[in-house]
């Protein structure tokens, strides 16, 4: 049997760690690794058109599967392109191994062609970032990188010169069992005792949930029922906690709706469950706050805590719920449920009247129809900006759907690349990219990746010919919009020229049939929907400064958006409120 080289050993270890594919763009220093992948049946090379797409795709795959995913870039400019997608994966706590190929080892530090220093470049967006400078570091360094990515949830970067990748692997290298799953963390008894006392002493408790409640839906519902608590959520908690939730009071934050803000600010005790909610202006400063999180570095960095609980949400609630005293007083919960329903009733009407005749099309209408027509287990990838608003307010979670976006990093152009990674995990599952024209055009070249790999991703393009969220930011600041207009082509024609299915929708009555035909199409499809650029949204609570900003900007805007099927859910929950 021929002796392995370092690249072959590298690929073997990735495959043993569960990596199914590596996303990237080939290049000289990366060629030994790509050739090793060619000869290894356990792992595939996914050729994309931009390395940023590779990193976004790997991050999305990791979020869908919960397993390690991988991407790669060649030396210098190649791996530099990875950085934005890696920042997003890292902040999304997605386990990703990135290979940053390097210039020849003998030339490092001498200003060689394409020289950069990846061990410095990726420091801030990784848990582990080291260079393999000689074969003897393998496989221990790669194994360490893998365990950092999986164990801590985030990115590990391994740099490797192309000449080192081609060298023989060490004969007696030490390989050990790889960690491929994360454990659950149970809080100590003292923390559970303190939390139990605080819950028992409080008359009005609100739960505010983030992505850390994944897998804990039943436990959160049981706890909320026992203590009669309203349940709000952050954007990343929506898919995990909003469905089948009779205590739902909506979402807080810049994209918020409903009564979540009131519920979090009018309680005696606010319990933050698995959320690193960044907008502390929406959190109260005059109520007791408890935070439960599996990552201790998140505890207390957004608000002053009365108790910090280090633990997995599900395990914490399994310990806590049997011990707390049941509450019988529903007054606070029922008041918040009524506020929530009333808030949704008040904003939904603007987008339910004459929508079939409104041109350009209301984006809220597009999102609502998309929500109705998409599969029950669809994966939605959502561009940053106004698409976040429409996804937050219109996509209805059910425990099977997934919604992925650049919710922590806030990058443009994420939806199409993330859809690529999501689709590769299951070619038979419906994947819908909710793209904005600004984000889509930024990485539009990877529409060709869909065609090349025959990925049946459906791109629904909200085309308002503007950077809508940026316009809103300018309006809030009292500035006239400037530099936000996009002169766009017919994106559907571009899709057809690239070999995908493409259709342009300019009238509301065309929308349903266009989506139906696109969803039926076996390969990649793009629906270019011309939407109203004046459809903007603001948070549920705005400051005097914000109002002044809007007054200074003479514009036709909509102050709040509709909320789709959430209104029906709110009405349903009101049936649980006792009649006087």
């Amino acid at each position: 049997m021929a002796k392995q080289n370092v690249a072959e050993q590298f690929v073997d270890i990735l495959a043993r760690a569960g990596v199914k594919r590596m996303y990237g763009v080939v290049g000289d220093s990366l060629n030994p690794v790509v050739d090793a992948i060619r000869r290894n049946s356990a792992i595939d090379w996914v050729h994309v058109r931009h390395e940023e797409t590779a990193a976004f795709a790997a991050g999305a795959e990791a979020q869908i599967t919960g397993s390690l995913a991988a991407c790669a870039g060649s030396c210098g400019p190649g791996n530099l392109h990875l950085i934005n997608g890696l920042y997003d994966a890292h902040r999304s706590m997605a386990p990703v191994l990135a290979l940053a190929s390097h210039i020849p080892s003998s030339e490092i530090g001498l200003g060689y062609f394409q020289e950069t220093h990846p061990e410095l470049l990726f420091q801030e967006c990784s848990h582990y970032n080291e260079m393999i400078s000689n074969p003897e570091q393998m496989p221990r360094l790669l194994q360490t990188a893998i365990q950092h990515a999986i164990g801590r949830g985030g990115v590990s970067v391994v740099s490797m010169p192309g000449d080192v990748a081609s060298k023989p692997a060490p004969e007696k290298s030490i390989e050990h069992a790889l960690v491929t799953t994360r454990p659950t963390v149970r809080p100590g008894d003292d923390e559970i005792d303190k939390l139990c006392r605080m819950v028992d002493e409080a008359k009005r408790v609100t739960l505010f949930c983030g992505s850390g409640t994944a897998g804990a839906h039943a436990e959160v519902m049981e706890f909320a029922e026992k203590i009669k608590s309203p349940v709000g959520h952050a954007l990343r908690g929506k898919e995990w906690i909003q469905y089948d939730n009779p205590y739902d009071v909506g979402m807080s934050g810049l994209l918020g709706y409903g009564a979540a803000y009131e519920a979090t600010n009018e309680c005696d005790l606010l319990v933050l469950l698995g959320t690193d909610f960044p907008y502390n202006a929406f959190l109260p400063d005059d109520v007791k706050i408890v935070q439960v999180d599996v990552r201790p570095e998140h505890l207390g960095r957004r608000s002053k805590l009365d108790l910090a609980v280090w633990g997995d949400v599900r395990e914490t609630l399994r310990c806590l719920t049997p011990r707390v005293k049941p509450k019988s007083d529903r007054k606070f919960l029922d008041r918040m449920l009524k506020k929530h329903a009333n808030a949704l009733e008040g904003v939904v009407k603007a987008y339910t009247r004459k929508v079939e005749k409104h041109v350009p099309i209301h984006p809220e209408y597009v999102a609502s129809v998309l929500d109705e027509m998409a599969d029950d287990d669809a994966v939605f990838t959502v561009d940053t900006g106004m698409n976040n608003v429409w996804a937050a307010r219109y996509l209805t979670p059910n425990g099977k759907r997934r919604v992925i976006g650049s919710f922590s990093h806030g990058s443009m152009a994420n939806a199409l690349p993330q859809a690529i990674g999501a689709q590769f995990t299951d070619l038979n599952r419906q994947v819908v990219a909710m793209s904005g024209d600004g984000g889509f055009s930024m990485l539009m070249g990877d529409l060709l990746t869909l065609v090349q790999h025959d990925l049946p991703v459906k791109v629904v393009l909200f085309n308002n010919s503007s950077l809508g969220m940026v316009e809103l930011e300018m309006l809030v600041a009292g500035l006239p919009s400037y530099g936000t207009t996009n002169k766009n082509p017919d994106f559907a024609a571009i899709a057809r020229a690239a070999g995908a299915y493409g259709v342009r929708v300019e009238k509301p009555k065309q929308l349903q049939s266009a989506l139906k035909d696109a969803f039926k199409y076996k390969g990649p499809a793009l629906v270019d929907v011309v939407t109203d650029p004046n459809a903007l949204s603001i948070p549920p609570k705005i400051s005097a400064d914000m109002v002044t900003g809007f007054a200074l900007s003479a514009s036709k805007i909509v102050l709040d958006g509709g909320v789709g099927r959430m209104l029906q859910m709110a009405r349903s929950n009101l049936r649980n409120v006792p009649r006087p």
Side-chain angles (χ1 to χ4, degrees):
M1 183 177 177
K3 183 177 175 59
Q4 274 193 325
N5 64 22
V6 170
E8 292 167 330
Q9 188 181 52
F10 188 97
V11 172
D12 276 350
I13 293 171
L14 287 184
R16 192 157 60 88
V19 172
K20 303 297 184 186
R21 58 195 64 83
M22 179 177 276
Y23 303 87
V25 179
V26 297
D28 49 7
S29 59
L30 195 55
N31 289 344
V33 174
V34 176
D35 187 63
I37 291 173
R38 178 183 64 83
R39 292 179 281 107
N40 191 314
S41 61
I43 187 168
D44 293 324
W45 176 259
V46 178
H47 170 52
V48 298
R49 301 306 175 101
H50 195 294
E51 288 90 351
E52 183 177 351
T53 295
F56 270 125
E61 179 182 324
Q63 290 179 71
I64 292 292
T65 65
S67 300
L68 186 69
C71 58
S74 59
C75 64
N79 63 59
L80 281 171
H81 284 159
L82 292 171
I83 192 163
N84 191 51
L86 292 183
Y87 259 97
D88 183 80
H90 193 56
R91 299 190 69 183
S92 300
M93 296 175 282
V96 170
L97 188 288
L99 171 60
S101 188
H102 209 348
I103 63 173
S105 57
S106 61
E107 302 296 334
I108 294 174
L110 299 174
Y112 190 72
F113 177 63
Q114 294 188 323
E115 181 173 9
T116 58
H117 292 87
E119 70 277 13
L120 301 177
L121 176 70
F122 297 104
Q123 195 65 38
E124 194 177 27
C125 63
S126 64
H127 290 306
Y128 186 84
N129 177 24
E130 296 290 346
M131 183 169 70
I132 299 175
S133 55
N134 65 74
E136 282 67 33
Q137 291 173 277
M138 281 285 288
R140 290 180 298 156
L141 190 146
L142 179 57
Q143 291 170 329
T144 301
I146 289 169
Q147 292 178 177
H148 273 77
I150 294 171
R152 297 185 64 183
V155 171
S156 284
V157 180
V158 174
S159 308
M160 183 164 59
D163 60 307
V164 173
S166 298
K167 291 181 179 179
E171 289 188 12
K172 295 183 179 180
S173 58
I174 300 172
E175 295 191 24
H176 54 74
L178 289 168
V179 172
T180 55
T181 58
R182 298 181 67 185
T184 55
V185 178
R186 179 196 183 281
D189 289 336
D190 288 346
E191 283 70 32
I192 294 295
D193 289 341
K194 291 175 184 176
L195 179 52
C196 185
R197 285 196 298 271
M198 293 179 72
V199 172
D200 287 344
E201 291 169 2
K203 291 183 179 180
R204 303 184 302 275
V205 183
T206 293
L207 309 182
F208 188 70
C209 303
S211 61
T213 57
H217 184 275
E219 286 77 10
V220 173
M221 295 303 106
E222 182 183 3
F223 185 53
E225 165 59 27
K226 191 167 186 179
I227 65 171
K228 305 300 182 285
S229 169
V231 179
H233 59 269
L235 178 56
R236 291 190 66 199
K238 174 184 172 73
E239 63 178 327
W240 306 115
I241 214 67
Q242 191 187 31
Y243 69 95
D244 295 339
N245 181 356
Y247 318 101
D248 177 48
V249 291
M251 189 172 84
S252 192
L254 293 174
L255 311 184
Y257 56 84
Y261 180 87
E262 288 85 353
T264 54
N265 281 266
E266 295 179 22
C267 58
D268 297 325
L269 176 65
L270 175 61
V271 182
L272 305 174
L273 294 175
T275 179
D276 191 34
F277 183 69
Y279 305 112
N280 54 9
F282 290 87
L283 295 175
D285 54 12
D286 56 352
V287 304
K288 291 184 178 180
I289 300 179
V290 173
Q291 185 177 0
V292 179
D293 206 294
V294 74
R295 299 184 73 157
E297 66 270 24
H298 288 180
L299 295 170
R301 71 178 184 176
R302 306 300 184 195
S303 58
K304 182 180 178 181
L305 299 181
D306 294 272
L307 179 64
V309 180
W310 182 9
D312 175 85
V313 171
R314 183 171 63 176
E315 294 304 314
T316 300
L317 293 182
R318 284 178 174 177
C319 295
L320 177 65
T321 302
R323 297 173 60 175
V324 298
K325 296 175 183 177
K327 298 183 188 296
S328 57
D329 187 348
R330 289 182 54 105
K331 291 179 182 177
F332 178 61
L333 170 60
D334 293 342
R335 182 161 61 87
M336 291 300 115
L337 290 175
K338 289 178 181 178
K339 276 193 173 186
H340 181 58
N342 289 338
L344 302 195
E345 291 276 7
V347 300
V348 75
K349 295 175 184 176
Y351 302 106
T352 56
R353 292 195 300 258
K354 301 179 180 178
V355 290
E356 287 83 6
K357 298 180 180 179
H358 186 91
V359 178
I361 303 169
H362 279 312
E364 299 90 343
Y365 177 65
V366 180
S368 179
V369 172
L370 177 59
D371 179 57
E372 293 282 353
M373 296 184 66
D375 290 349
D376 285 344
D377 66 343
V379 178
F380 297 91
T381 61
V382 184
D383 261 344
T384 296
M386 295 309 297
N387 281 41
N388 270 195
V389 179
W390 316 139
R393 295 185 173 186
Y394 283 91
L395 296 185
T396 307
N398 57 12
K400 295 181 290 184
R401 286 179 166 179
R402 294 298 311 273
V403 182
I404 294 174
S406 187
F407 299 142
S408 295
H409 187 47
S411 172
M412 287 181 67
N414 61 285
L416 174 62
Q418 288 179 329
I420 291 170
Q423 191 71 83
F424 264 112
T425 67
D426 185 348
L427 295 178
N428 295 314
R429 188 174 186 180
Q430 187 181 72
V431 176
V432 180
M434 291 178 62
S435 296
D437 56 290
F440 178 77
S441 57
M442 187 177 282
L443 285 175
M444 187 167 57
D446 274 287
L447 177 66
L448 301 175
T449 300
L450 300 184
V451 175
Q452 179 158 340
H453 296 283
D454 198 24
L455 296 175
V457 169
K458 313 308 176 190
V459 179
V460 179
L461 185 59
F462 289 66
N463 181 3
N464 64 0
S465 296
S466 72
L467 303 178
M469 184 63 79
V470 180
E471 285 194 355
L472 177 60
E473 293 164 355
M474 290 178 172
L475 290 168
V476 170
L479 303 172
S481 60
Y482 182 75
T484 58
T485 301
N486 295 327
K487 185 176 181 181
N488 288 331
D490 182 339
F491 288 109
I494 290 176
R496 292 192 296 270
Y501 178 90
V503 60
R504 186 173 173 89
V505 177
E506 297 179 345
K507 297 179 180 179
K509 64 182 181 181
Q510 301 169 335
L511 179 62
Q512 289 194 13
S513 61
L515 288 175
K516 182 178 179 181
D517 291 344
F519 287 166
K520 285 170 56 179
Y521 187 72
K522 298 295 184 182
L526 182 144
V527 182
D528 180 7
V529 187
V530 180
T531 60
D532 187 352
N534 291 320
L536 301 177
S537 175
I538 64 171
K541 291 293 179 181
I542 59 174
S543 67
D545 289 342
M546 288 181 177
V547 173
T548 303
F550 276 101
L552 289 173
S553 302
S555 60
K556 178 185 175 184
I557 69 167
V558 177
L559 292 184
D560 233 327
V563 286
R565 283 190 279 178
M566 283 178 251
L567 177 59
Q568 284 77 25
M569 290 195 297
R571 287 170 174 167
S572 301
N573 290 341
L574 281 181
R575 296 172 191 160
N576 299 319
V577 177
R579 300 293 179 185

